[in-house]
Amino acid sequence: MRVLIVVPTYDERANIDTVVTRTLANPGVELLVVDDGSPDGTGARADELAADEPRLRVVHRPKKAGLGPAYRHGLGIGMDEGYDLLVEMDADLSHDPSVIPTLIEMAADADLVIGSRYVPGGGVVNWPWHRRVLSSGGNIYVRLMTGLPVRDATSGFRAFRREVLEEIDVRALRSDGYSFQLETALQTWRAGFRIAEAPIVFVERVAGTSKISRAIVFEAMARVVFWAVRCLPTRLRPIPANPRSVVARASR
């Protein structure tokens, strides 16, 4: 199985060396850094690391355009190049690269594996109470509104089989931030693919600044209402298994 880790960056110079080192400590994976023109030189530093590491590549985008567009760009490259599994991961070390083998292993029995803070064994570290309420409450809101049977739909640590991204046409989606994570999970579920959740411990960044804004949160809340209306028919009847599901096909 060819595995590509896609890591969007913007002003992550303080973290990029550690992210690259710890990610590529996992054998058999490759890393694609998608840098949105970081003013702090993140992209340039990533280029220096890539010069000595054949499993690392860097894509430079001209300016900051948001998490969703960066992921669509990176995932699109992985799809075009025929990678079997594409993994999303943050660059701020809140996602532990040592969990990547678990995501890969669980992908043998699922089409999408989400690193979840809200399943047994998962959790968060160094979050203030209001951030915990916003995150856990937001996920409850998503489940109630859409019926999506996922405990942590906003998690950005996840592994997709290529066929899933092709089926949901990920490059045609227009969501950003939390909304991108929500929409891809929702589209995957509505398409009948199988989703699994792996427990992760999310550790708040210790270097750099968060890119989360009120606008990103409000966008997600508003889009959930729209998706809830679209999902209403599927909430009234079971979603049929997708005959193109990698897992379903492999089990025959």
Side-chain angles (χ1 to χ4, degrees), residues 9-249:
T9 58
Y10 183 79
D11 282 358
E12 296 289 356
R13 177 66 183 258
N15 296 313
I16 190 65
D17 283 65
T18 305
V19 168
V20 169
T21 300
R22 291 182 59 189
T23 299
L24 295 181
N26 297 294
V29 306
E30 297 176 50
L31 175 59
L32 176 66
V33 171
V34 182
D35 186 69
D36 272 6
S38 297
D40 72 347
T42 301
R45 178 54 185 160
D47 282 335
E48 293 174 358
L49 297 171
D52 299 318
E53 177 49 74
R55 291 192 292 151
L56 170 63
R57 285 184 291 163
V58 186
V59 173
H60 296 274
R61 287 154 51 85
K63 62 181 180 180
K64 184 180 180 182
L67 185 67
Y71 268 132
R72 286 192 289 272
H73 191 132
L75 294 173
I77 290 174
M79 292 162 62
D80 290 341
E81 296 184 358
Y83 284 88
D84 303 295
L85 196 69
L86 295 109
V87 179
E88 299 178 2
M89 191 177 75
D90 288 350
D92 59 6
L93 298 174
S94 57
H95 297 152
D96 185 352
S98 69
V99 178
I100 291 173
T102 299
L103 301 183
I104 296 173
E105 181 181 358
M106 291 182 65
D109 297 309
D111 302 305
L112 164 61
V113 182
I114 297 176
S116 177
R117 298 159 288 187
Y118 303 118
V119 296
V124 296
V125 174
N126 296 333
W127 267 12
W129 68 268
H130 63 273
R131 182 92 179 267
R132 292 173 183 264
V133 170
L134 177 63
S135 178
S136 59
N139 276 287
I140 292 172
Y141 170 70
V142 171
R143 290 199 302 276
L144 291 175
M145 292 291 287
T146 67
L148 177 65
V150 170
R151 305 289 297 180
D152 196 354
T154 60
S155 171
F157 198 11
R158 50 181 64 186
F160 290 93
R161 285 187 174 267
R162 185 185 71 252
E163 292 87 347
V164 176
L165 298 173
E166 292 172 343
E167 176 77 10
I168 68 175
D169 195 7
V170 69
R171 281 180 281 205
L173 305 181
R174 290 295 174 262
S175 298
D176 194 11
Y178 281 141
S179 294
F180 178 77
Q181 310 298 3
L182 290 170
E183 186 170 19
T184 52
L186 189 59
Q187 293 276 20
T188 299
W189 173 60
R190 293 183 70 238
F193 287 106
R194 188 172 175 187
I195 302 176
E197 295 188 83
I200 64 168
V201 176
F202 183 100
V203 180
E204 179 65 354
R205 66 161 63 236
V206 295
T209 58
S210 174
K211 312 306 185 296
I212 297 174
S213 66
R214 292 183 179 179
I216 290 175
V217 175
F218 288 146
E219 179 203 19
M221 293 178 65
R223 284 183 174 269
V224 166
V225 175
F226 171 73
W227 294 328
V229 174
R230 293 187 61 187
C231 286
L232 186 59
T234 59
R235 296 197 67 182
L236 299 178
R237 65 179 186 274
I239 295 177
N242 188 334
R244 295 183 62 187
S245 168
V246 177
V247 175
R249 186 166 67 241

